[in-house]
Amino acid sequence: MRDDGAMSLAGWESRAVQEARSWTPGRCAVVFAVAVAVFHHVPLLAGAVDLHDATDLVTPFVVVAAALAALFSLRAPPRALVVAFVGAILYVDGHGIHLSANAIGNNPLSGHAAEVAHFWDEQFGHLWWHLGWFVLVAALCLAELGRRVELSRRRTATIVFLLGATLFTNTIEGGDWWLELAGTVVFCAWALAARRPLLIAFAGAFAFGAALIGIWAIWHGGEPQFSQLGWL
C-alpha cells in the first residue's frame, strides 16, 4: 500500500531542494542590489506621508539579510565572513546613527543642538553607514573565491544599474561622494587584477556611480545635495 504521507513529504523535500538550488550566487547578488536600491530610496517616498523613520527601520534588516543570503549561496570562506561581519556592524551602526539623528533634526532645533544633530546625521552617520555598505560589497567579492559564479548579461546590467544609481543618489545626498570615488578606484583595480564575474559587476556599479557623479558635478558646477536644490 502506498504511503501518501511519505510521498507528499518526499515531494515537498524535492521541491524545497530545487528551490534552494535555484538561489544561485548570481540570483542572490541581484536580490542584494534590488534590496539596496529599494530600501535606500523607499523611505524618502514614505516621508511624504510621515512614514520615513518607520519605513527606514526595516532597511538594515533587509539589506544585511540579502547580503547573508548571497554569502551563503557563495559558500563564503572564513575571511569573507569576517569582512562581512565588520561590514554589517558598520552598516547597522551607521544607519542607526543616521536614522536617530535625522529624526531629531527634523524637529525645531537651534544652536549647539542643531550642530550636533547635523554632525551625527549628515556627516558621521552617512559616512559610517556607507562605509559599512562598501565593506559588505567587498565581502561578497571575497566570497566569490569560494564558488564559481555565472552572471548573465541581464543580471550584470541589473546590478550595475541599480547599485550604481543608488551609489550616486546616496553619496550625493549624503555628502560623501568622495568615498564612492575612492571605492571606484579600489574595486576597478581589484576587478582588473582578478577578473571575476561578480567582482566585475560590482566594480561596474561603482564606475557607473562615479560617472553619474561626474555628470552631476559638470551640470551643477559642484556636488550640491538634492535637498539643497529643493528636490527633496
Side-chain angles (χ1 to χ4, degrees):
M1 181 181 292
R2 185 179 65 179
D3 188 340
D4 291 337
M7 291 294 291
S8 298
L9 179 60
W12 180 86
E13 289 177 343
S14 177
R15 289 194 297 272
V17 170
Q18 291 176 357
E19 181 64 22
R21 288 177 176 173
S22 70
W23 285 92
T24 61
R27 185 176 180 182
C28 288
V30 171
V31 169
F32 173 74
V34 171
V36 169
V38 171
F39 285 90
H40 280 213
H41 290 116
V42 162
L44 293 175
L45 301 177
V49 289
D50 294 328
L51 288 176
H52 176 280
D53 296 339
T55 306
D56 212 12
L57 281 172
V58 183
T59 300
F61 291 96
V62 175
V63 172
V64 173
L68 288 176
L71 289 167
F72 179 78
S73 71
L74 286 162
R75 301 169 188 166
R79 65 174 179 174
L81 294 176
V82 171
V83 173
F85 179 73
V86 173
I89 290 177
L90 292 173
Y91 186 94
V92 173
D93 189 39
H95 181 272
I97 292 171
H98 151 72
L99 178 59
S100 56
N102 185 69
I104 294 170
N106 286 334
N107 294 282
L109 298 174
S110 61
H112 184 61
E115 294 175 0
V116 170
H118 178 79
F119 170 77
W120 288 109
D121 176 19
E122 297 294 334
Q123 297 176 343
F124 186 85
H126 284 154
L127 178 62
W128 212 236
W129 173 24
H130 293 163
L131 182 61
W133 175 17
F134 296 1
V135 174
L136 280 176
V137 173
L140 296 180
C141 294
L142 280 174
E144 191 176 7
L145 291 169
R147 181 177 180 182
R148 179 179 176 81
V149 177
E150 295 183 1
L151 276 181
S152 65
R153 290 183 179 179
R154 176 183 296 180
R155 286 181 173 173
T156 299
T158 299
I159 292 171
V160 170
F161 177 77
L162 291 179
L163 197 60
T166 307
L167 285 165
F168 163 64
T169 58
N170 282 209
T171 59
I172 285 294
E173 182 60 23
D176 55 355
W177 52 268
W178 52 270
L179 184 64
E180 200 281 345
L181 298 184
T184 300
V185 173
V186 172
F187 279 94
C188 286
W190 190 5
L192 286 172
R195 295 185 179 278
R196 297 193 300 270
L198 191 56
L199 174 57
I200 290 173
F202 283 132
F206 271 87
F208 180 50
L212 293 176
I213 289 172
I215 294 171
W216 183 261
I218 294 172
W219 181 14
H220 294 282
E223 304 291 353
Q225 298 178 8
F226 301 111
S227 56
Q228 292 173 336
L229 298 176
W231 290 19
L232 295 176

